[in-house]
Amino acid sequence: MHDDGRYDDPRVTRPGADPVSRETDYQGWPAGDDPRDPAATPPAVHPEAPVAGAVRSASSGPANVPPAREPHEPTGRPANAPSPRPVPVRGNAAVPGRYEPQPPGSVLPQQAAPDVATEAGMPSDTPPAGSFGVEAAPSTYVSRETETPTREEDDPPLAMEAMRAVQILNPSGEVSMPRPARTRVMCVANQKGGVGKTTTTVNLAVALALHGNRVLVVDLDPQGNASTGLNVPHHTGVPDVYDCLIDSVPLEEVAQAVEGIPNLWCVPATIDLAGAEIELVSVVARESRLARAIAAYPGHFDYVFIDCPPSLGLLTVNALVAAQEVLIPIQCEYYALEGLNQLINNINLVRQHLNPKLEVSTILLTMYDRRTRLADAVEQDVRNHFGDKVLQAVIPRNVRVSEAPSYGQSVVTYDPGSRGATSYFEAAQEIAERGVKEPVSRNA
């Protein structure tokens, strides 16, 4: 169908109605000038200009006279040539573009004149301009050369985890942590249960032993969890720490070497230890039974860790008397802080009456959950109160730490690349570095 600028559809143009142009708001053609009338005389136009689609205005002269060109109309086509048709919408090429009727006095948007050379198929030397006069943004220069990444940025996460695992396991066996000049006997105590006393004892002992220190772990908890974590037999009938406290059995006859961990020994605990507190009531010098057993050991240890039960009974008092330092693991929750004051008071009583050398040397924050504000608040309170005694290393909540005892291992050997193993390794390294410095001042 030839588009001559009018509606030929009988569904739009009713019989007998005036034809309506698509391109102007003119209501109809004058009588005798209907293009459909074969008797009508066509207007004189330029030979090269198209006839269809001419723009007519209601205020213009006769119908057969082309309208005058506006001053701002672009040049490059004959004066009597009609205005170019609007460009169809690109989103739907099937719908022809047209101008909607505008109210009188409104200004229609002007479009750029088509390039004659381009329409004729001739090459054009002028680059195409932006649509509707919008200039294209200048392209940003991007260099192909990049900075050389560091080793930490260049290595993938699995490679970094493997490097940490090798560093923690120390397969070469060299002494990478400083050894103290004297034996450091550390009591891991807190009367609140579930704060990580046994987990801290096992993992610190394994980390120090893997890096060249001779370590002894004394399981003083009747539950025997430290013995389980080190995969040491502690069933009924096995010589344990109960025999040392009640029957004065030498400690070297009870200690067992930990399988797979060089330089690490463990004194296990059985269920018999649950009745030791009652039996120690009538024993002379009951508070120093463990201290004498450790002092009589013929071998030399760099570290002796005593895992205390969650109470302040005679077993804990024996551990405080035998130790020189107290390591207090604190869970990052409010209940852990509530009973800390009572533990500090008992430590002061033991120091005044039984062990003048006892001091609180190390505070370790455990089960830290960085997603909660409570953990941050507890950490700030503990650091403000204890100062430099609090280790910079913080033990986060990590499922690997909980899984390791079920396999009879510490998290350091179970998953050395995990966050829990890395944190305990950093804590052990910090404790070892503090041991070669001046001793920490006593707690006020």
Side-chain angles (χ1 to χ4, degrees):
M1 182 182 72
H2 179 67
D3 189 0
D4 55 359
R6 57 187 175 81
Y7 287 103
D8 292 334
D9 192 352
R11 294 175 297 180
V12 178
T13 305
R14 298 185 301 275
D18 294 335
V20 180
S21 172
R22 293 190 204 175
E23 303 184 5
T24 64
D25 55 356
Y26 187 61
Q27 299 300 324
W29 298 94
D33 196 27
D34 189 353
R36 295 174 295 178
D37 188 1
T41 303
V45 296
H46 194 276
E48 297 179 1
V51 178
V55 180
R56 298 179 181 269
S57 174
S59 60
S60 61
N64 56 353
V65 179
R69 187 175 60 218
E70 296 296 332
H72 61 274
E73 185 176 359
T75 60
R77 65 172 183 267
N80 57 353
S83 300
R85 296 180 183 177
V87 181
V89 180
R90 295 184 179 181
N92 188 1
V95 181
R98 59 186 177 87
Y99 286 122
E100 296 293 340
Q102 302 292 333
S106 62
V107 180
L108 296 176
Q110 298 296 328
Q111 297 183 0
D115 192 352
V116 179
T118 306
E119 291 183 356
M122 300 173 58
S124 176
D125 297 335
T126 306
S131 301
F132 297 97
V134 180
E135 296 183 359
S139 59
T140 304
Y141 174 75
V142 179
S143 176
R144 296 184 181 180
E145 299 180 0
T146 57
E147 298 180 359
T148 303
T150 60
R151 182 171 183 178
E152 295 181 358
E153 296 176 353
D154 190 27
D155 291 338
L158 291 178
M160 296 298 299
E161 184 175 349
M163 291 173 59
R164 290 196 303 267
V166 172
Q167 181 184 10
I168 292 173
L169 291 177
N170 190 25
S172 62
E174 62 181 0
V175 181
S176 57
M177 291 186 182
R179 301 179 63 180
R182 57 178 178 84
T183 302
R184 299 181 63 183
V185 183
M186 305 186 69
C187 169
V188 184
N190 194 333
Q191 81 276 11
K192 183 182 183 304
V195 298
K197 293 185 298 295
T198 301
T199 304
T200 299
T201 302
V202 170
N203 289 285
L204 290 180
V206 172
L208 290 169
L210 288 175
H211 291 266
N213 289 268
R214 293 172 57 87
V215 184
L216 174 67
V217 175
V218 179
D219 190 359
L220 209 59
D221 188 354
Q223 300 178 68
N225 292 333
S227 304
T228 302
L230 296 174
N231 198 22
V232 174
H234 60 99
H235 52 82
T236 304
V238 175
D240 63 336
V241 69
Y242 171 85
D243 300 327
C244 298
L245 296 177
I246 304 300
D247 300 332
S248 300
V249 177
L251 203 62
E252 64 269 15
E253 297 181 8
V254 179
Q256 302 181 30
V258 177
E259 182 181 0
I261 308 296
N263 303 322
L264 181 59
W265 290 262
C266 175
V267 177
T270 62
I271 193 62
D272 298 336
L273 192 60
E277 290 193 0
I278 299 176
E279 298 181 22
L280 285 175
V281 172
S282 59
V283 177
V284 178
R286 56 192 178 187
E287 299 90 358
S288 58
R289 301 284 290 185
L290 181 60
R292 291 199 297 267
I294 294 176
Y297 193 88
H300 172 74
F301 293 105
D302 297 317
Y303 291 90
V304 176
F305 288 98
I306 305 175
D307 183 27
C308 297
S311 65
L312 296 176
L314 277 176
L315 294 177
T316 302
V317 172
N318 266 269
L320 293 175
V321 172
Q324 303 166 354
E325 307 175 32
V326 180
L327 189 156
I328 304 177
I330 299 178
Q331 185 181 5
C332 294
E333 292 185 3
Y334 174 75
Y335 286 149
L337 295 177
E338 191 176 23
L340 189 59
N341 189 25
Q342 184 179 1
L343 175 63
I344 297 298
N345 292 335
N346 289 346
I347 292 174
N348 292 335
L349 289 175
V350 172
R351 183 173 62 238
Q352 293 175 6
H353 300 283
L354 299 173
N355 185 10
K357 298 180 180 180
L358 184 64
E359 61 182 2
V360 179
S361 63
T362 309
I363 305 292
L364 179 62
L365 296 172
T366 62
M367 304 182 188
Y368 177 81
D369 191 352
R370 59 182 177 182
R371 299 173 298 177
T372 62
R373 296 182 180 179
L374 176 62
D376 293 335
V378 171
E379 180 183 6
Q380 294 300 325
D381 292 343
V382 172
R383 292 189 184 278
N384 293 336
H385 182 74
F386 291 99
D388 295 337
K389 297 179 181 180
V390 184
L391 296 179
Q392 295 298 322
V394 178
I395 311 302
R397 285 189 178 273
N398 186 240
V399 66
R400 297 299 188 186
V401 177
S402 303
E403 290 178 357
S406 62
Y407 293 91
Q409 301 181 38
S410 65
V411 70
V412 176
T413 56
Y414 175 70
D415 190 358
S418 62
R419 293 190 299 118
T422 304
S423 300
Y424 273 116
F425 170 75
E426 294 175 353
Q429 192 171 18
E430 194 170 351
I431 290 174
E433 293 175 354
R434 290 186 178 189
V436 297
K437 299 178 181 179
E438 296 181 1
V440 183
S441 59
R442 293 182 179 178
N443 184 53

